C-alpha cells in the first residue's frame, strides 16, 4: 500500500506498507514493514500544481502515469491523471538531445529548443494539457509548478504549450518550475536552509583544463557574498562532505570539469586537483553527512553533471546521489555550457537566491527569461 500526503497542493511526503495476505485474512505486519517520511509545515508555500510522474511498468520505462494535484475551481477538468507511452528507450533520445543542445549556435538556439518543447507537449497526457490551460485561464499570472518524477530522462520543464491562436514557449521561461526525484520524495524539504556559502573551484595544472573564468566566479562569491573558499582537492571535498563543520552550510558551490556516463550514471565524475576525481556513487555513501546535517543546497556548475539516467532500476546521476543523502536541492546544467555564460549564471543566480532570498524556481525562471535568447547555456539549468 503506497500513500502520498499533501497539505492542499503541497507535497509533504510518502509512505509504503507491505502486507502479507493469506486468503481472506491479513495478519498485522511486523514493525519494519512500513517505511516513509512526512514533513508538515503550515507556512510552506503551496504550488499551483503538483505533478507526480511515475514509471508504470519497470519493464516498460517509457510508460508513465501522470497524476495532477491542484486547487479546485470552475473550469478545471474533472480527470486529473493519465498515461503516456514514450517507447522502449527514452534515455537514448534524451542523451542525443542534450548533445544536440550543446552544439546549438548562439542566437540560433531558441527555435530548436522551442520545437523540441512542442514535441514534449504533444507527448504529455491530454489531462495535463487541459489542466494547464485551465490554470492559465483561471489565474492569469505566472504559475508555480512542482514535478515529483520517477522519469529521469526527458526535461518536461521545457514543454512548450500551444493551442489555437496562442503559443507559450517553454514553461520554464514562463513559470516557476522545480523537480524532485520521486525515489527520494520522503526527503523533500519544506524550505531552504540558513548558513554559510562554500565555494570550490579546482585549479587545474594543465593548460587545456584550466578554467580561469570558473575560478574567477568562485572568487566573486567570496568577495561579494562572503563565501568561504574550500580547496579543490579530493581530500578537502571529502572532509567537507563527511565531517561537516559546526556552522551550518546552506549552499555548496562547485565549478569545474565534469563528465556524465549515460550508461552508468553512478560513475559520473567531477574532476579535482592533482588528477583526482569524485564520482556520484561516492556521494551516496552513508559517511556523507553534510546534507543530512544541514539540508545543504548543491550547485554543480560543470558540464553535463545535471543529467540523470536509469541505474539498476532507480534514477542515477548526481541529482540522485545528493538527494539520497538528504541534501535540500540540486542545481546543475543538463548539457555542455559556455564558460563565460556559466560565470554570469553564477553571479546572478547566487545574488538572487542568497542575497535577495528569491525562491530557486522563480530565480531560475527569471534568469532564463532574461538571458535565454543569448545562449543555450541559460536554458540548461
Amino acid at each position: 500500500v503506497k500513500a502520498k500526503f499533501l497539505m492542499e497542493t503541497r507535497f509533504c511526503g510518502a509512505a509504503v506498507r507491505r502486507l502479507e495476505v493469506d486468503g481472506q485474512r491479513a495478519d498485522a505486519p511486523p514493525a519494519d514493514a512500513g517505511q516513509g517520511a512526512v514533513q508538515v509545515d503550515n507556512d510552506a508555500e503551496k504550488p499551483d500544481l503538483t505533478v507526480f510522474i511515475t514509471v508504470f511498468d519497470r519493464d516498460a520505462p517509457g510508460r508513465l502515469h501522470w497524476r495532477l494535484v491542484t486547487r479546485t475551481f470552475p473550469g478545471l477538468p474533472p480527470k486529473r491523471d493519465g498515461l503516456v507511452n514514450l517507447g522502449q528507450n527514452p534515455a537514448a533520445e534524451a542523451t542525443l538531445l542534450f548533445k544536440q543542445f550543446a552544439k546549438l549556435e548562439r542566437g540560433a538556439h531558441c527555435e530548436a529548443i522551442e520545437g523540441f518543447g512542442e514535441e514534449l507537449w504533444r507527448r504529455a497526457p491530454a489531462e495535463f494539457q487541459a489542466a494547464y490551460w485551465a490554470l492559465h485561464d483561471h489565474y492569469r499570472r505566472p504559475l508555480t509548478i512542482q514535478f515529483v518524477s520517477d522519469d529521469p530522462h526527458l526535461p518536461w520543464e521545457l514543454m512548450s504549450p500551444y493551442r489555437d491562436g496562442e503559443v507559450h514557449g517553454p514553461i520554464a521561461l514562463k513559470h516557476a518550475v522545480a523537480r524532485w526525484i520521486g525515489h527520494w520524495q520522503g526527503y523533500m524539504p519544506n524550505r531552504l536552509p540558513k548558513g554559510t556559502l562554500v565555494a570550490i573551484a579546482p585549479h587545474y595544472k594543465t593548460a587545456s583544463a584550466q578554467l580561469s573564468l570558473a575560478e574567477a566566479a568562485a572568487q566573486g562569491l567570496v568577495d561579494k557574498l562572503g563565501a568561504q573558499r574550500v580547496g579543490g582537492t579530493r581530500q578537502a571535498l571529502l572532509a567537507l562532505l563527511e565531517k561537516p563543520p559546526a556552522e551550518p552550510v546552506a549552499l555548496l558551490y562547485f565549478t569545474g570539469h565534469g563528465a556524465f556516463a549515460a550508461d552508468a550514471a553512478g560513475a559520473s565524475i567531477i574532476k579535482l586537483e592533482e588528477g583526482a576525481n569524485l564520482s556520484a556513487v561516492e556521494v551516496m555513501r552513508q559517511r556523507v553527512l553534510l546534507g543530512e546535517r544541514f539540508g545543504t543546497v548543491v550547485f554543480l556548475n560543470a558540464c553535463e553533471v545535471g543529467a540523470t539516467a536509469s541505474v539498476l532500476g532507480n534514477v542515477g546521476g548526481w541529482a540522485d546521489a545528493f538527494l539520497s543523502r538528504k541534501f535540500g536541492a540540486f542545481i546543475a546544467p543538463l548539457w555542455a555550457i559556455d564558460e563565460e555564460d556559466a560565470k554570469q549564471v553564477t553571479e546572478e543566480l547566487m545574488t538572487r537566491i542568497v542575497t535577495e532570498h528569491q525562491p530557486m524556481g522563480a530565480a531560475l525562471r527569471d534568469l532564463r527569461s532574461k538571458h535565454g535568447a543569448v545562449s543555450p547555456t541559460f536554458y540548461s539549468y
Side-chain angles (χ1 to χ4, degrees):
V1 179
K2 296 182 178 181
K4 296 183 186 298
F5 300 91
L6 297 104
M7 179 175 288
E8 295 182 28
T9 61
R10 172 74 196 187
F11 178 67
C12 298
V16 177
R17 171 148 291 184
R18 292 173 177 82
L19 303 174
E20 298 268 341
V21 180
D22 180 13
Q24 301 297 316
R25 182 166 172 259
D27 294 329
D32 61 352
Q35 61 180 17
V38 180
Q39 300 181 73
V40 179
D41 184 346
N42 291 322
D43 298 324
E45 183 177 343
K46 300 167 181 64
D48 297 312
L49 174 64
T50 298
V51 182
F52 296 96
I53 304 177
T54 307
V55 176
F56 192 81
D57 182 351
R58 295 295 174 184
D59 294 327
R63 194 178 183 200
L64 306 173
H65 175 254
W66 290 45
R67 186 165 70 89
L68 317 177
V69 178
T70 184
R71 298 175 184 86
T72 301
F73 54 82
L76 185 67
K79 191 169 187 294
R80 297 169 209 170
D81 71 295
L83 285 171
V84 295
N85 195 335
L86 304 177
Q88 286 298 316
N89 200 358
E93 181 179 343
T95 299
L96 178 62
L97 171 78
F98 295 149
K99 290 181 179 179
Q100 292 174 343
F101 281 179
K103 298 177 182 177
L104 293 175
E105 295 183 13
R106 299 171 67 91
H109 59 282
C110 294
E111 292 79 8
I113 293 176
E114 186 171 297
F116 171 73
E118 291 185 4
E119 177 62 24
L120 278 180
W121 172 254
R122 287 189 285 271
R123 295 189 180 195
E127 293 81 4
F128 174 84
Q129 296 174 357
Y132 173 84
W133 288 118
L135 286 161
H136 168 72
D137 294 342
H138 178 73
Y139 289 113
R140 292 291 174 181
R141 57 163 171 75
L143 304 172
T144 53
I145 303 174
Q146 174 71 60
F147 288 93
V148 181
S149 175
D150 286 336
D151 166 36
H153 305 302
L154 294 176
W156 296 105
E157 298 85 349
L158 294 180
M159 276 188 291
S160 296
Y162 63 87
R163 60 182 174 182
D164 289 345
E166 189 169 1
V167 177
H168 271 192
I171 61 174
L173 269 72
K174 191 176 184 66
H175 308 293
V177 183
R179 178 189 296 219
W180 191 264
I181 294 179
H183 192 68
W184 308 114
Q185 54 192 337
Y187 296 156
M188 188 174 175
N190 289 328
R191 61 185 72 248
L192 299 180
K194 294 181 180 179
T196 60
L197 170 61
V198 170
I200 299 175
H203 177 72
Y204 304 113
K205 291 184 178 180
T206 61
S208 61
Q210 287 178 1
L211 293 173
S212 56
L213 287 176
E215 292 185 62
Q219 188 59 43
L221 297 181
V222 174
D223 297 337
K224 298 177 182 179
L225 300 180
Q228 295 181 7
R229 192 78 181 264
V230 170
T233 65
R234 178 178 169 87
Q235 181 180 7
L237 181 52
L238 284 176
L240 176 65
L241 294 175
E242 297 178 1
K243 300 174 182 178
E247 187 177 359
V249 178
L251 193 146
L252 168 59
Y253 173 82
F254 174 91
T255 180
H257 286 302
F260 171 66
D263 56 344
S268 298
I269 61 171
I270 52 176
K271 298 181 179 181
L272 302 170
E273 294 178 8
E274 302 169 356
N277 300 318
L278 183 74
S279 66
V281 72
E282 292 177 286
V283 172
M284 301 181 79
R285 295 174 303 126
Q286 295 297 306
R287 293 182 186 275
V288 174
L289 301 175
L290 182 64
E292 189 173 6
R293 185 78 53 83
F294 302 127
T296 305
V297 174
V298 176
F299 183 6
L300 290 192
N301 204 14
C303 291
E304 296 184 345
V305 293
T308 56
S310 183
V311 176
L312 302 178
N314 295 320
V315 179
W318 287 104
D320 185 66
F322 281 105
L323 298 190
S324 74
R325 296 303 304 144
K326 302 185 181 180
F327 285 80
F330 179 79
I331 306 170
L334 283 169
W335 53 79
I337 52 177
D338 177 85
E339 187 183 355
E340 186 173 343
D341 294 335
K343 180 175 181 293
Q344 186 171 359
V345 169
T346 297
E347 294 171 351
E348 294 196 26
L349 182 60
M350 291 298 95
T351 297
R352 291 173 188 270
I353 66 177
V354 175
T355 304
E356 300 173 6
H357 304 292
Q358 288 188 23
M360 289 196 302
L364 282 164
R365 174 202 60 202
D366 293 345
L367 195 69
R368 298 183 198 108
S369 179
K370 181 179 178 181
H371 300 294
V374 175
S375 161
T377 291
F378 296 98
Y379 281 85
S380 70
Y381 293 90

